[in-house]
Amino acid sequence: MAHTGSTEPVRIGIVGLGTVGSGVVRLLVDSADHITRHAGRPIEVAAAVVRDPAKDRDCTLPAIPISTDIATISQDPSITIAALLVGGLEPARSMMVELLENGKDVVTANKALLAEHGPELFELARRLGRSIAFEAAVAGGIPIVAAIGECLAANRIESIRGILNGTSNFILTRMEEDGSSYAEALALAQAKGFAEADPSMDVDGTDATQKLAILSHLAFGVWVPWKEIPRTGIDTVDIDLIHYAAELGYRIRLVAVARRSNGRLAMRVAPALVKIGTPLAETRGAYNAVSIVGDAVGRMFFHGLGAGQMPTASAVVADIIDTVVGRTAITFRTTGLLSADTPAAKLAGGDASERHFLRIVVTDRPGVLARITGILGDHGISIASVIQHDPIATGDAPATSIPPDVALVIMTHSCPSSAVHEALLSIDRCDAVRGKSVCLGVLDE
Ligand code: HSE
């Protein structure tokens, strides 16, 4: 719905007054003059729908009806736009359907909903002549949806590489910078409002994978169900890995990658070593980063807060303004996002070549290192460097503890991931190997 040509206030409904919803109300109220200038008319919060009306809110609410019933918004003909700011799949999906069916344009930050039900919801919106805007669903305050969908539209996008989960990045940064434990860092991320209601979706890589699926649709014009993207979270990273990476000149980041590879898309979300001094390694705390290569523009780098109340509210309010002035409707109609004829992505296998970082915990006795390097050699894997700290000298094992366990940390030269995984299957079957070995990809630029 284009709302141009009038100076009457536009009335919007807010569904969900949690961290993001409260931030949106604060921004709309506190920055009303500035927002009116950009929207061409005032934007008025007309009603809110919440789960618990008695709960304290992190904003001063205007005098508006607050109810638990979505009909307060969907059935009010004076409300033309709804900001759907609740997480999870249900009741978010049913609410989105009800809002669209009752003539509302919808702005949302819910990437799980789009990654799971995007095709059916976008089709419904198109059929009803409505729009869905979702800048806040990916990378919080970074305008990456507009950048890929509109500003870089002239380019054939070759690759996307990004840090897309603020909570994971916050946890990794706290662990590396002040030695916080994983649990302490996660609790702090939750207290700061970065984490999802269910933080396992942050730390197991689900959130970043859903965001990668959405960005890949915009960039490559294909649809990939997020569950088909190989995914490992930071719940597999411990402090020793972080220290070994630092010793080699790297940091560990949860990196989402999608790139063209022989007519297919190579995609994954996994912790990776990123070289200290490169932009991804310098992305700290709740910041997100996205590096994109387009054939005309070359490499671009976006960096900004990817989680938290006001950065996410910034993106939601920009979408509300775009919907008010009619830009969203035009883009939504012309780009045919997630339409029935969107092709499915063809995913590439795991045979891409890169350097790999391995941690293999072994019993420290003669011949073990030779056995392991022998297996790597048998798979055509060349070793660039090896670290083994003397467990007695470091105090990790008493002199009487013979033979102690020790970590072998190996950096390989570039080799196919499939070869490394095959080799590790053999290595992990050796008597001297304790537990499952860790393998992380290495990004040198
Ligand atoms: N929980 C998300 C993150 C924020 O930590 O990045 C919303 O996308």
Side-chain angles (χ1 to χ4, degrees), residues 111 137 164-167 194-196 202 207 211 288 306-307:
K111 68 260 137 185
L164 299 178
N165 184 260
T167 300
F194 302 149
E196 298 299 299
D202 292 295
D207 177 81
K211 291 168 176 169
N288 280 191

Side-chain angles (χ1 to χ4, degrees), residues 274-292:
V274 291
K275 201 167 189 56
I276 292 175
T278 58
L280 289 187
E282 302 311 322
T283 301
R284 294 161 189 270
Y287 278 82
N288 280 191
V290 187
S291 164
I292 297 176

Side-chain angles (χ1 to χ4, degrees), residues 46-58:
V49 168
V50 298
R51 207 167 30 201
D52 175 8
K55 198 170 155 190
D56 280 345
R57 305 289 158 193
D58 188 15

